[in-house]
Amino acid sequence: MEGRQNDDRLTAYGQSFPSRLLLGTARYDSPALLADAIRVADPAMLTVSLRRQLSGSKDSGQAFWNLLRETQRPILPNTAGCLTAREAVNTACMARELFQTNLIKLEVIGDEINLQPDPFGLVEAAVELVKRGFQVFPYCTEDWVLCRRLMDAGCEVLMPWAAPIGTGQGPRNPRALRELRERAPQIPLIVDAGIGLPSHACQVMEWGFDGVLLNTAVSRALDPVRMASAFGNAVKAGRNAFLAGPMIVQDVAVPSTPEIGRPFRSASPLSA
Amino acid sequence: MDVIVNGDTYPLPEPPTLAALLRSLSPSVPFVVARNDEVVPSRAYEACHIDSGDRIDIVHPAAGG
């Protein structure tokens, strides 16, 4: 069993990762907290973004860059905030130039209230990015037809949401998520966004999802480092439970202690 | 004769190349540049001619989820 656990790695686009947790780098109160959270969560990848430099923060990008390099973790740049396929493709091209990676977390947002992915823009951008040699990790909904279109576009990983970004609600549509897992058994599925608690992460891993990507649930916890550790353990626990093969749920009680040989089988009632 | 850098107006440098503009702005490293929405590889800065009205985006690594 130990060997099986050690061999159990997340594989995406031919790359193998020892961890099944992907961690975002935003909204930490300090770089030190981020660095400590990364250390204890032991994530497979770190998500990052691209932004114009704000006035008055001349070297913040450089400090963040140094922090990333020190962690020695693979970088998964995102196209966060892009509202069109064109914006997303342009941002991805800039990310590739800056981070020297073909990996891209593709976000095309279709609604600025719930930050829901735009399925049409997502597929359009995925087609173009795959054509340009990117390895696309699309942030999508659990809609089966959308997921199929993304796979047809050449995406070898899908990242369905649990709930809208930053809400921490946990899986809003468990049935559809589980159906997606059943209908797409071969493709790595990483649940991205909306995870709030380690139990949410554990739950989707028990359902057979391949990984979890989260950010706010760690960075906005009262103790982000402790929460990062909790999520690391939850993802491992859920994965191990999935591999172990959960028992089949029964409709009626089934005694766990053997009935055979129980003493006083024919004793009279106490009141007799 | 101006260019738009990250939404702000700057005078067109002399010579009118991306390399000259970056020398005058000296953005903190690392950064990546797009001219009119097209990324410009660093090896092409000297050869990248810029015109009045061009939109130049200079971006840096940032935290993200």
Side-chain angles (χ1 to χ4, degrees), chain A residues 24-26 47-53 58-59 61-62 64-65 68 78 90 93-94 97-99 105 107 213 215, chain B residues 6-7 25-34 37-43 57-65:
Chain A
T25 55
T47 55
V48 300
S49 68
L50 294 175
R51 288 292 179 267
R52 291 170 173 173
Q53 191 167 291
K58 187 72 178 169
D59 66 346
Q62 194 168 32
F64 181 64
W65 175 260
L68 292 178
N78 69 28
N90 290 344
C93 290
M94 295 185 87
E97 177 71 13
L98 185 56
F99 295 107
K105 176 187 168 184
E107 291 185 37
L213 195 166
N215 188 149
Chain B
N6 289 353
L25 295 174
S26 61
S28 67
V29 290
F31 62 84
V32 63
V33 183
D37 301 332
E38 291 291 330
V39 65
V40 182
S42 55
R43 64 182 178 279
D57 277 289
I58 305 173
V59 298
H60 304 263

Side-chain angles (χ1 to χ4, degrees), chain A residues 4-254:
Chain A
R4 188 180 178 191
Q5 286 182 24
N6 290 338
D7 290 343
D8 178 52
R9 296 166 69 92
L10 172 65
T11 302
Y13 290 101
Q15 295 182 59
S16 174
F17 304 92
S19 169
R20 292 176 176 274
L21 175 62
L22 288 73
L23 191 64
T25 55
R27 304 189 65 192
Y28 289 84
D29 283 344
S30 72
L33 275 178
L34 169 59
D36 285 346
I38 293 169
R39 182 175 48 76
V40 300
D42 192 23
M45 290 180 239
L46 299 174
T47 55
V48 300
S49 68
L50 294 175
R51 288 292 179 267
R52 291 170 173 173
Q53 191 167 291
L54 299 174
S55 58
S57 59
K58 187 72 178 169
D59 66 346
S60 64
Q62 194 168 32
F64 181 64
W65 175 260
N66 291 338
L67 187 156
L68 292 178
R69 289 167 62 98
E70 284 167 12
T71 69
Q72 299 184 316
R73 304 280 165 171
I75 299 299
L76 179 61
N78 69 28
T79 63
C82 290
L83 300 176
T84 66
R86 177 51 50 200
E87 284 179 23
V89 169
N90 290 344
T91 302
C93 290
M94 295 185 87
R96 176 158 67 183
E97 177 71 13
L98 185 56
F99 295 107
Q100 297 294 300
T101 177
N102 286 325
L103 305 179
I104 191 74
K105 176 187 168 184
L106 177 60
E107 291 185 37
V108 182
I109 299 301
D111 183 276
E112 294 187 67
I113 300 297
N114 69 358
L115 303 180
Q116 181 170 341
D118 175 345
F120 309 100
L122 199 56
V123 173
E124 183 186 352
V127 167
E128 181 63 24
L129 289 170
V130 169
K131 202 183 300 178
R132 296 187 187 203
F134 282 90
Q135 296 170 330
V136 181
F137 291 63
Y139 162 61
C140 56
T141 64
E142 70 279 29
D143 183 278
W144 168 241
V145 177
L146 168 60
C147 289
R148 214 176 58 204
R149 295 278 186 270
L150 290 167
M151 288 188 279
D152 291 345
C155 295
E156 297 181 16
V157 175
L158 299 176
M159 299 211 297
W161 67 353
I165 295 171
T167 62
Q169 295 173 355
R172 265 186 169 185
N173 196 346
R175 183 179 291 264
L177 278 172
R178 298 186 76 171
E179 285 176 6
L180 173 61
R181 177 70 289 178
E182 287 166 13
R183 297 198 68 177
Q186 303 302 330
I187 191 166
L189 295 176
I190 297 169
V191 175
D192 175 16
I195 296 284
L197 292 169
S199 57
H200 299 153
C202 189
Q203 176 75 94
V204 298
M205 295 304 292
E206 288 173 6
W207 292 341
F209 283 83
D210 295 279
V212 169
L213 195 166
L214 52 92
N215 188 149
T216 310
V218 169
S219 63
R220 302 318 299 164
L222 283 177
D223 184 343
V225 179
R226 186 179 289 256
M227 190 60 86
S229 173
F231 269 105
N233 289 330
V235 168
K236 287 176 189 163
R239 180 63 181 175
N240 281 334
F242 170 72
L243 291 177
M247 65 167 281
I248 297 169
V249 175
Q250 306 294 314
D251 289 332
V252 296
V254 179

